[in-house]
């Protein structure tokens, strides 16, 4: 991790500046870890405080003494378990307090003695018309709709602020400006939505509350700040979002290998720079955006692999990374991660059409962090449970169908009204909402080749938007209404026609950073053109007169240019508009300039078959692919038997991570998945201390 | 089926009783088929058991059968190499009131007459045995070091494997739809997938025992009620015995509760509701954890910091008198019953399996016939014979 001295000369892994995020002054507190005194900021969770002090290993597993680092940073697994005054807690969900005595969790914890029998309290039951679980874009928008109708609604979220993953998104959003705040940064949308909830009297917001189980008697259990309470709702909306899928390869369990969402949390929420050299697996939007977030924070992104022949994310996101010099390896995968206590090195390899690594193509990279961004799966267990118990239950957002946040916003609105109707409110759901929702959920459509459209006007935009995605902020940004999307759908590509004043609002508005202005005849003497390019990184590198390496839309070298001026955009003060003078002959090709250079990998270590036997597939119980494979080969087709014999899925996370990996092993072994019985799913979603059930107030 | 398969015996139910029964029949050299409606062995009430195994009952038949079970479980690793999670930690009934002291001391003579290793122990002993137990008002308790704890999951898998290795066949996802009876004798079993033939059929169907009986026109008075249970995250071991607190709970809902720390260091716990919850529903209720949490913490205050991982609900196939049924059906030759385990099928299972295999193969129950006869299907279920210690 990058260790830098802070203002007081203390070495720290904290961000001291960020091009998008505000770094606020916070009160410093002192705690101890394994007897060593350390500093934290008030209000942050234990894992964050430890990362800020360079601690990435929180304990060792009882089965094989393997180091345990963060994994989900979302309260869903238990890998970040530490001891506070001897009591086991999840580091990512527990706020550090002054003087807190934290110890690493080595093996199984010993339960401390307590002095006296505590006073028991009642477990309250809250009655409400609607319970909304999840305060992300879908849940909040549903609650807004319900609140506007005066429907009694309880909105619960397991974090200490509303917005869900929006609170981590420093980039501007796609989608339609009118419907879902397109062109606004995720972090700002979160605030706007939370503001809209304020003043809706029938909506109660309960933060730091995890819905841990649904019960046969039609109640939902909530764990909140050491306490437990029950909710009896008439209807429930499960809008818990998604969890990250993961990959299994040797070393995938090393501290330093974790999900992109976890990374965004540490970086963008907690303002910690958790890595110096980062590698990313997965070229979907999550992987691409996270790479961009890393670069914004000054982290070296060493490379990105995508197993498919092309990245699945928006082309504009991919191009942004490519232009910044990040090598993107398509038809490649990671085959191995190595390190003693933490990740030190990875090996990637090319894959064939069947995604099998090709021998001889291995490359190794020295990295300290590997992010897994290979897709999301809906968190819908509670929905299935509650529906099974006969509770009127709904899903929205990613919990319903994985899509962009813009789609989640809309799906929340629609579902909010649907619930209101179901419980007897007379309210319409406009037909166009459904259509809009459909469009926002769309996967990227047709992608064309980029052909610059030349115009007669002295200055005009080049719109490098070649992929059908649901997006229209450029149309509304143009002061002269010269940018239009022909046709009815915002999936169509925008075109420029008419006047251009050179205001560069379109450059500032495009979420994909895919528009720049061109003034072809800028300096006839020198034979140069002027480009106005969008820039969202640390502006310390922007110096008038500086010569930069220019790249085309996809990051290929073009030539060089000179920074002439830069300014802050009038509609987004975080985005800089940089004027770069380039040779006229290159002007139509240049789409950006690089600040980072790619690097060559060294020869890798040997190559294995997919999911080698020593790979850990069940992290909680540390069960290898080989152990699972032996059971499959012995004829086990019921994952409940795997639980009994080798304990996969018996750990704290309850099979949230390994179930999919085990299904993959079944497929590899040629088993028809219709023969495979999935494990039974029971409360609790996350572990809850016994004291909470007894109504004992948290003493600490 | 291509050819007509004939088995020596068919066992209905691959659970706590069916699995060891099949295992002991294969030890006799019999060709056995086991049928179960679930997707794999032990998916009924077996996996809902908390795993306590004790011989320290007050009913002679249960004492005899459970002594056998303890023998089978405790020597399993020696015989088959597989670990069942056996912890020879004994059973402890801690006592805080005179009432419970009288009850427990009252049955000691019966228990000792069966040579059970059990005695009354003073508070100092109990405090050492259960580190962190509430000392206020502790009068002592009984301790029986010969009892112990086994992992029901591991045990089911082990019986399944060993019986298959000895030729037993298992068919899952095949609920029994009918019995083939000709000339007053059982001839086979039907499922949706076919008819399987055997001259011996053992009904070991647990909570479904009654519906299987009705297929033969006999009404077995077994009605399931349900108990909830839960398990914690692993912790450093701090007590070995299974603990039973037979005081009724101050909340008015629990008759008693019991728990142990398994081979992984997880505390696994359960209570007996005062008002039985009749029926076959196995979904968890919101009431269980708040009720048991107080009882656990009240008995061992340090438990307040343990993390609860999972809860579930299992069925107790109850008979009217709370005594199990082991017998042959007189009216239908070849039809046997090992049913109505009243929630103790897991600890009774191996003993029952051995006894039933003996009855089936040799026509003698393998335990004292007089004691065995108290388990008869033809007994009077409704004349009260209250068991002092259930």
């Amino acid at each position: 991790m990058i260790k830098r001295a802070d203002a007081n000369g203390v070495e720290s892994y904290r961000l001291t500046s960020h091009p998008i995020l505000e770094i606020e002054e916070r009160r410093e507190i002192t705690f101890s870890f394994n007897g060593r005194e350390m500093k934290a900021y008030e209000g942050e969770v234990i894992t964050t405080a430890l990362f800020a002090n360079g601690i990435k290993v929180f304990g060792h597993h009882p089965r094989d003494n393997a180091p345990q680092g963060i994994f989900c940073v979302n309260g869903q697994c238990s890998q970040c378990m530490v001891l506070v005054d001897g009591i086991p807690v999840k580091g990512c969900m527990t706020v550090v307090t002054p003087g807190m005595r934290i110890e690493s969790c080595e093996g199984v914890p010993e339960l401390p003695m307590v002095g006296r029998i505590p006073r028991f309290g009642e477990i309250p039951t809250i009655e409400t018309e609607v319970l909304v679980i999840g305060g992300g874009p879908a849940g909040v928008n549903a609650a807004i709709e319900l609140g506007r109708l005066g429907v009694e609604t309880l909105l619960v979220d397991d974090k200490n602020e509303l917005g869900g993953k929006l609170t981590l998104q420093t980039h501007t959003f796609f989608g339609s400006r009118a419907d879902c705040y397109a062109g606004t940064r995720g972090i700002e949308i979160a605030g706007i939505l939370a503001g809209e909830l304020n003043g809706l009297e029938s909506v109660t917001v309960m933060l730091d509350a995890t819905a841990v189980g649904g019960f046969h008697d039609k109640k939902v259990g909530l764990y909140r700040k050491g306490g437990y309470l029950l909710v009896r709702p008439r209807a429930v909306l499960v809008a818990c979002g998604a969890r990250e899928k993961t990959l299994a390869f040797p070393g995938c369990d090393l501290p330093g290998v974790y999900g992109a969402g976890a990374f965004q949390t540490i970086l963008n929420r907690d303002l910690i720079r958790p890595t110096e050299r980062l590698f990313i697996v997965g070229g979907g939007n999550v992987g691409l955006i996270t790479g961009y977030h890393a670069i914004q924070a000054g982290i070296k992104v060493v490379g990105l692999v995508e197993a498919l022949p092309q990245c699945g994310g928006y082309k504009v996101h991919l191009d942004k990374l490519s232009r910044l010099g990040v090598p993107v390896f398509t038809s490649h995968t990671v085959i191995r991660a190595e390190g003693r206590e933490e990740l030190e090195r990875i090996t990637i390899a090319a894959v064939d059409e069947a995604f099998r690594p090709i021998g001889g193509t291995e490359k190794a990279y020295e990295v300290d962090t590997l992010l897994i961004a290979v897709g999301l799966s809906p968190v819908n267990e509670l929905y299935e449970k509650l529906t099974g118990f006969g509770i009127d239950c709904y899903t929205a957002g990613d919990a319903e169908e994985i899509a962009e946040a813009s789609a989640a916003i809309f799906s929340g609105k629609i579902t909010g009204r649907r619930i209101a109707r179901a419980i007897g409110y007379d309210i319409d759901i406009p037909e166009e909402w459904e259509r809009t929702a459909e469009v926002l959920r769309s996967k990227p459509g047709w992608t064309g080749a980029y052909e610059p459209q030349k115009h007669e006007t002295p200055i005009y935009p080049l719109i490098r938007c070649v992929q059908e995605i649901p997006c229209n902020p450029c149309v509304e940004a143009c002061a002269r209404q010269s940018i239009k999307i022909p046709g009815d759908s915002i999936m169509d590509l925008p075109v420029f026609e008419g006047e251009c004043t050179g205001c560069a609002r379109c450059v500032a508005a495009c979420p994909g950073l895919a528009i720049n202005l061109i003034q072809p005849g800028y300096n006839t003497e020198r034979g140069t053109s002027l480009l106005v390019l969008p820039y969202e990184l640390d502006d310390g590198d922007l110096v008038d007169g500086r010569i930069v390496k220019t790249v085309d839309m996809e990051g290929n070298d073009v030539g060089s240019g000179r920074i002439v001026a830069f300014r802050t955009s009038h509609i987004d003060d975080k985005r800089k508009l940089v004027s770069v003078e380039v040779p006229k002959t290159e002007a139509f090709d240049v789409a950006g300039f690089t600040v980072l250079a790619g690097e060559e990998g060294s020869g890798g270590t040997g190559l294995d078959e997919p999911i080698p036997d020593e790979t850990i597939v069940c992290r909680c119980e540390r069960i290898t692919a080989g152990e699972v494979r032996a059971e499959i080969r012995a004829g086990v087709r019921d994952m409940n038997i795997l639980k009994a014999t080798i304990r996969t899925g018996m750990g704290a996370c309850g099979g949230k991570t390994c179930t999919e990996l085990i299904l993959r092993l079944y497929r590899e072994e040629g088993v028809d998945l219709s023969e495979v019985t999935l494990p039974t799913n029971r409360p609790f979603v996350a572990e809850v201390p016994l004291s909470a059930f007894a109504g004992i107030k948290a003493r600490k | 089926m291509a050819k007509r398969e004939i088995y020596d015996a068919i066992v209905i139910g691959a659970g706590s009783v069916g699995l060891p029964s099949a295992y002991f029949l294969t030890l006799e050299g019999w060709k056995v088929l086991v049928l179960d409606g679930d997707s794999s062995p032990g998916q009924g009430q077996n996996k809902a058991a908390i795993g306590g195994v004790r011989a320290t009952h007050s009913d002679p038949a249960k004492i005899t059968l459970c002594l056998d079970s303890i023998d089978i479980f405790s020597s399993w690793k020696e015989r088959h190499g597989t670990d069942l999670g056996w912890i020879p930690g004994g059973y402890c009934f801690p006592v805080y009131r005179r009432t419970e002291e009288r009850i427990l001391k009252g049955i000691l003579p019966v228990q000792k007459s069966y040579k059970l290793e059990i005695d009354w122990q003073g508070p100092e002993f109990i405090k050492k045995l259960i580190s962190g137990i509430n000392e206020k008002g502790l009068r002592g308790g009984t301790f029986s070091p010969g009892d112990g704890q086994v992992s029901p999951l591991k045990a089911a898998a082990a019986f399944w494997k060993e019986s298959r290795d000895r030729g037993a066949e298992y068919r899952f996802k095949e609920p029994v739809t009918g019995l083939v009876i000709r000339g007053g004798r059982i001839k086979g079993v039907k499922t949706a997938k076919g008819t399987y033939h055997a001259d011996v059929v053992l009904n070991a169907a647990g909570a479904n025992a009654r519906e299987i009986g009705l297929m033969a026109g006999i009404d077995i008075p077994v009605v399931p009620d349900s108990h909830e249970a839960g398990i914690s995250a692993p912790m450093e071991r701090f007590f070995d015995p299974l603990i039973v607190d037979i005081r009724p709970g101050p909340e008015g809902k629990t008759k008693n509760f019991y728990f142990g720390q398994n081979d992984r260091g997880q505390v696994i716990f359960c209570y007996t509701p005062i008002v039985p919850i009749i029926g076959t529903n196995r979904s968890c209720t919101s009431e269980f954890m708040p009720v048991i949490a107080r009882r656990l913490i009240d008995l061992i205050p340090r438990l307040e910091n343990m993390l609860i991982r999972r809860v579930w609900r299992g069925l107790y196939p109850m008979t009217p008198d709370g005594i199990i049924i082991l017998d042959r059906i007189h009216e239908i030759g070849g039809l046997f019953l090992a049913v109505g385990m009243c929630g103790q099928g897991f600890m009774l299972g191996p003993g029952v399996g051995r006894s039933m295999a003996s009855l089936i193969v040799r026509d003698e129950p393998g335990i004292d016939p007089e004691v065995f006869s108290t388990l008869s299907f033809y007994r009077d279920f409704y004349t009260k014979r209250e068991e002092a210690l259930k």
Side-chain angles (χ1 to χ4, degrees):
Chain A
M1 298 205 291
I2 300 175
K3 213 171 189 179
R4 289 185 186 170
D6 66 11
N8 306 319
V10 178
E11 287 194 324
S12 165
Y13 296 88
R14 296 184 186 279
L15 295 179
T16 47
S17 68
H18 191 281
I20 310 293
L21 298 165
E22 305 290 342
I23 314 278
E24 286 165 14
E25 279 287 315
R26 281 177 294 171
R27 202 165 82 83
E28 212 170 48
I29 58 172
T30 305
F31 71 99
S32 74
F33 179 70
N34 286 348
R36 234 179 83 200
E37 210 165 86
M38 294 179 182
K39 301 276 185 222
Y41 283 144
E42 195 169 37
E44 67 188 6
V45 295
I46 290 172
T47 46
T48 299
L50 291 175
F51 259 62
N53 287 279
I55 308 286
K56 287 207 229 173
V57 175
F58 307 140
H60 292 84
H61 196 278
R63 188 177 186 204
D64 58 2
N65 204 36
Q68 302 286 291
I70 57 158
F71 181 58
C72 79
V73 196
N74 207 16
Q76 298 276 308
C77 74
S78 270
Q79 274 201 208
C80 62
M81 186 81 81
V82 291
L83 303 179
V84 171
D85 297 328
I87 297 165
V89 299
K90 282 181 185 173
C92 75
M93 298 296 279
T94 310
V95 171
V96 64
T97 53
M100 190 180 255
R101 195 167 57 85
I102 303 170
E103 289 167 299
S104 58
C105 190
E106 305 297 339
V108 286
E110 191 181 339
L111 214 51
M113 287 289 187
V114 297
R116 57 185 168 76
I117 300 193
R119 189 187 293 274
F120 300 137
E122 288 306 310
I123 301 302
T125 297
I126 300 173
E127 309 265 348
T128 184
E129 288 264 323
V130 181
L131 170 66
V132 177
I133 305 172
V140 171
N141 275 283
I144 290 170
E145 290 299 322
L146 289 161
R148 284 181 181 151
L149 293 167
V151 181
E152 184 191 32
T153 303
L154 175 64
L155 171 67
V156 300
D157 192 273
D158 62 352
K159 304 297 183 311
N160 63 5
E161 62 178 329
L162 287 176
K165 293 289 175 276
L166 285 174
T167 59
L168 309 179
Q169 307 308 323
T170 56
H171 59 280
T172 50
F173 269 58
F174 296 78
S176 112
R177 208 167 178 97
D179 299 319
C180 55
Y181 316 94
T184 308
R185 294 185 191 279
I187 43 176
E188 287 151 11
I189 300 174
I192 295 168
L193 292 176
E196 282 186 46
L197 264 185
N198 275 342
L200 294 175
E201 275 177 19
S202 69
V203 181
T204 306
V205 175
M206 192 185 280
L207 297 173
D208 292 312
T210 307
V212 288
F215 299 100
H216 170 66
D217 43 349
K218 304 197 176 185
K219 290 182 191 170
V220 176
L222 301 179
Y223 176 56
R224 183 174 189 239
K225 295 183 172 178
Y228 184 70
L229 54 134
L230 293 163
V231 182
R232 188 175 18 223
R234 263 181 78 187
V236 177
L237 172 61
V238 174
C240 307
R243 72 172 57 93
E244 302 187 85
K245 292 183 183 175
T246 191
L247 274 185
F249 49 86
C252 63
D253 52 298
L254 269 176
V257 182
Y258 51 91
F263 177 77
Q264 290 182 357
T265 304
I266 296 165
L267 182 67
N268 294 343
R269 183 191 72 183
D270 299 337
L271 305 170
I272 304 288
R273 189 184 287 110
T275 162
E276 194 169 353
R277 295 171 58 80
L278 176 70
F279 209 97
I280 298 170
V281 186
N285 276 343
V286 174
L288 298 172
I289 290 169
T290 308
Y292 191 66
H293 289 172
I295 293 170
Q296 283 181 322
I299 293 162
K300 167 84 178 170
V301 181
V302 176
L304 181 148
V305 287
E306 164 59 52
L308 290 166
Q310 56 209 18
C311 287
Y314 289 174
K315 188 164 186 309
V316 287
H317 284 317
L318 171 63
D319 290 348
K320 278 196 295 189
L321 273 193
S322 299
R323 289 198 298 265
L324 291 167
V326 175
V328 174
F329 303 93
T330 53
S331 294
H332 272 70
T333 191
V334 61
I335 57 169
R336 178 182 299 279
E338 292 161 296
R340 278 175 56 83
E341 280 274 291
E342 296 173 21
L343 179 66
E344 292 165 20
R345 188 158 106 124
I346 61 155
T347 305
I348 66 167
V351 293
D352 62 17
E353 294 87 28
F355 304 109
R356 292 191 164 258
I358 301 166
T361 64
E362 305 89 339
K363 285 191 210 87
Y365 292 90
E366 308 285 323
V367 294
D368 61 30
T369 300
L370 177 68
L371 299 188
I372 310 296
V374 293
L376 301 169
S377 41
V379 177
N380 57 7
E381 297 91 339
L382 265 180
Y383 169 76
E384 279 164 15
K385 263 276 168 295
L386 296 173
T387 304
F389 295 151
I391 297 181
D392 195 14
C393 196
Y394 302 79
T395 52
D398 274 354
E400 182 184 21
E401 183 183 349
I402 303 297
E404 292 300 302
S406 50
I409 288 172
F410 232 79
S411 121
K413 282 163 70 130
I414 292 172
T415 314
R417 287 217 179 168
R418 198 174 286 154
I419 293 169
R421 276 167 64 140
I423 59 177
Y425 288 79
D426 185 18
I427 181 83
D428 275 348
I429 301 172
E431 259 180 56
E432 64 267 22
W433 282 20
E434 300 280 4
R435 277 200 301 275
T436 308
E438 194 52 45
V439 169
L440 292 174
R441 270 199 294 268
S442 306
K443 300 276 176 281
W446 173 83
T447 307
Y450 175 64
E451 214 25 80
Q453 299 296 309
K454 299 184 180 175
H455 297 272
E456 293 306 315
T457 47
I459 188 164
Y460 55 89
L462 289 175
I463 304 178
R464 300 167 195 275
C465 184
V466 294
Q467 186 180 41
E468 292 180 336
I469 56 174
C471 189
N472 75 354
C474 56
V475 173
E476 301 191 16
C478 183
R480 294 291 161 108
Q481 283 92 47
S482 299
I483 299 177
K484 294 189 179 68
I485 290 181
D488 301 333
S489 168
I490 64 165
M491 289 291 282
D492 289 338
L493 305 182
V495 291
F496 167 80
E497 203 175 76
E499 281 181 73
C500 175
T501 62
C503 71
R505 282 173 186 267
C506 54
V507 182
C510 174
L513 271 62
I515 300 179
N516 65 271
L517 293 187
I518 183 165
Q519 186 182 350
Y522 174 63
N523 189 317
T524 45
E525 231 168 77
R526 292 200 293 271
T528 56
S529 302
L530 190 72
L531 305 175
V532 179
L533 297 162
Y535 192 78
E536 292 189 327
L537 305 184
D538 189 348
D539 58 12
D541 291 332
L542 301 180
V543 181
D544 285 357
R546 180 172 174 168
I547 304 296
V548 293
K549 224 169 90 175
T550 55
V551 290
D552 71 6
M553 180 174 157
E554 289 166 347
N556 304 303
D557 289 349
V558 177
S560 61
R562 187 174 65 91
I563 295 178
V564 175
F566 68 92
R567 62 183 167 92
T568 299
S569 112
H570 18 1
I571 57 174
D572 178 356
D573 63 358
K574 299 296 197 297
R575 186 179 287 185
K576 306 296 180 301
L577 302 174
V578 186
S579 299
V580 181
E581 184 183 6
V582 297
K584 192 171 180 181
T585 50
E586 297 171 359
F588 286 93
D589 293 331
V590 172
F593 50 91
T594 58
V595 292
L596 297 168
E599 64 180 82
E600 292 296 310
S602 59
T605 50
L607 195 56
D608 293 307
E609 289 295 290
I611 313 200
D613 276 346
E614 74 267 32
T615 308
I616 296 287
V617 292
C618 168
R619 294 165 164 272
C620 297
E621 296 286 335
R622 296 198 57 82
I623 311 300
T624 64
E627 290 172 90
V628 176
R629 200 169 266 136
E631 295 292 313
I632 295 173
R633 288 180 184 166
V636 174
R637 295 293 177 267
D638 184 346
M639 284 168 76
N640 293 300
I641 289 292
L642 295 180
K643 285 165 78 170
T645 53
I646 55 172
R647 296 189 63 81
T648 47
M650 292 288 270
C653 94
K656 291 184 201 114
T657 304
C658 63
T659 303
E660 276 203 43
L661 296 174
I662 293 169
L663 284 173
R664 195 181 133 192
L665 285 171
Y666 270 109
R667 276 196 300 272
E668 270 183 36
E669 293 295 310
V671 175
D672 178 357
L673 291 193
S674 66
E675 286 174 33
V676 178
T677 303
L678 290 170
T680 310
N681 168 18
R682 295 200 174 85
F684 293 93
V685 169
E687 292 174 340
V688 179
L690 190 65
S691 57
F693 295 111
I696 301 167
K697 285 274 170 282
R699 284 206 279 249
K700 281 66 67 180
Chain B
M1 270 187 314
K3 66 179 171 50
R4 189 182 140 100
E5 289 269 14
I6 300 177
Y7 299 91
D8 295 328
I10 295 172
V11 176
I12 302 174
S16 295
V17 173
L19 287 163
S21 299
Y23 165 79
F24 283 108
L25 284 167
T26 60
L27 286 188
E28 302 283 352
W30 278 41
K31 188 176 174 190
V32 181
L33 171 69
V34 184
L35 293 170
D36 198 295
D38 277 325
S39 51
S40 51
Q43 297 305 305
Q45 312 323 311
N46 175 272
K47 68 175 181 183
I50 72 166
V53 183
R54 63 181 162 103
T56 47
H57 304 278
S58 54
D59 176 73
K62 270 165 66 173
I63 291 173
T64 312
L65 290 166
C66 283
L67 278 171
D68 230 10
S69 288
I70 290 172
D71 176 44
I72 294 158
F73 281 135
S74 62
S75 61
W76 187 271
K77 195 167 181 185
E78 228 166 274
R79 281 178 293 123
H80 298 299
T82 34
D83 171 35
L84 302 184
W86 165 247
I87 298 170
Y91 257 70
C92 177
F93 288 61
V95 169
Y96 291 85
R97 305 192 309 184
R98 199 166 292 161
T99 323
E100 285 78 31
E101 183 170 343
R102 255 200 312 269
I103 294 171
L104 291 171
K105 283 184 169 168
I107 56 175
L108 281 174
V110 184
Q111 293 174 323
K112 286 184 169 174
S113 74
Y114 281 88
K115 302 207 161 41
L116 292 177
E117 201 186 336
I118 183 164
D119 239 316
W120 179 262
Q121 304 288 351
E124 287 310 313
F125 182 96
I126 303 293
K127 273 188 254 176
K128 277 203 196 92
L129 195 62
I130 306 165
S131 151
I133 191 168
N134 187 352
E135 296 177 9
K136 197 177 163 211
L138 180 65
R139 301 173 74 87
T142 60
F143 178 56
S144 51
D147 298 327
Q149 202 183 348
V150 176
S151 158
L153 304 176
K154 287 181 180 170
F159 280 119
W160 181 42
K161 179 183 181 298
E162 294 300 329
S163 58
R164 271 187 309 164
D165 287 355
R166 287 164 181 76
E169 282 177 39
Y170 283 79
R171 289 180 183 273
F172 294 107
K173 299 183 187 172
E174 279 197 57
V176 169
T177 55
L179 301 175
V180 185
I181 300 162
R182 271 195 305 271
R185 285 205 61 85
I186 193 94
K187 287 290 165 193
V189 174
K190 288 183 206 167
T191 74
K193 291 190 185 152
T195 302
Y196 305 97
H197 305 275
D199 287 339
V200 168
V201 171
L202 172 64
N203 179 354
N208 302 323
R210 185 173 213 161
E211 54 177 280
I212 300 293
L214 291 173
M215 292 174 192
I218 56 163
D219 189 12
I220 310 167
V222 170
V223 175
D225 63 25
S226 62
H227 292 218
E228 290 189 74
I231 193 164
S232 75
M235 289 161 289
E236 191 75 35
R237 171 165 300 287
F238 69 101
F239 65 95
D240 290 328
L242 241 295
I243 299 169
V244 186
D245 183 344
I246 61 169
R247 283 175 293 177
E251 76 299 302
K253 290 181 171 151
T254 57
K255 212 182 227 175
N256 57 49
F257 75 107
Y258 38 101
F259 59 102
Q261 194 176 10
N262 71 13
D263 61 323
R264 309 282 301 196
Q266 296 173 281
V267 172
I268 181 166
F269 47 87
C270 182
Y271 69 71
T272 307
I274 288 174
V275 182
I277 310 163
I278 310 290
T280 56
N281 192 316
R282 290 172 66 183
S283 303
C284 303
T285 72
S286 68
E287 187 178 273
F288 173 66
M289 273 317 304
V291 168
I292 190 102
R294 292 172 173 224
R295 294 221 60 180
L296 285 165
I297 295 168
D298 185 60
L299 189 66
I300 305 183
R302 71 193 291 193
L303 288 176
E304 71 165 73
N305 290 312
M306 77 175 171
L307 295 172
I308 303 307
R309 182 171 283 180
R310 223 86 72 210
V311 290
W312 63 88
R313 176 140 69 123
L315 305 179
Y316 276 37
M318 298 303 294
T319 59
D321 58 2
I323 306 285
I324 70 171
I325 302 170
L326 303 185
D327 210 345
R328 65 164 75 71
I329 293 296
H330 300 160
E331 299 82 355
I332 302 163
L335 182 57
F336 293 82
L337 300 182
V339 299
M341 295 294 139
C342 304
Q344 292 174 329
F346 177 70
M347 67 171 82
L348 287 160
V352 166
R354 181 137 82 187
S355 177
M356 290 309 290
S358 173
L359 183 72
I360 288 166
V361 174
R362 282 184 292 279
D363 201 27
E364 51 189 50
I367 63 170
D368 179 351
E370 202 175 309
V371 170
F372 189 82
S373 71
T374 62
L375 309 176
S376 170
F377 171 59
Y378 301 95
R379 68 180 181 255
D380 175 5
F381 284 102
Y382 302 95
T383 302
K384 208 72 177 162
R385 181 175 62 149
E386 183 76 27
E387 197 189 350
L389 185 63
K390 173 59 183 68

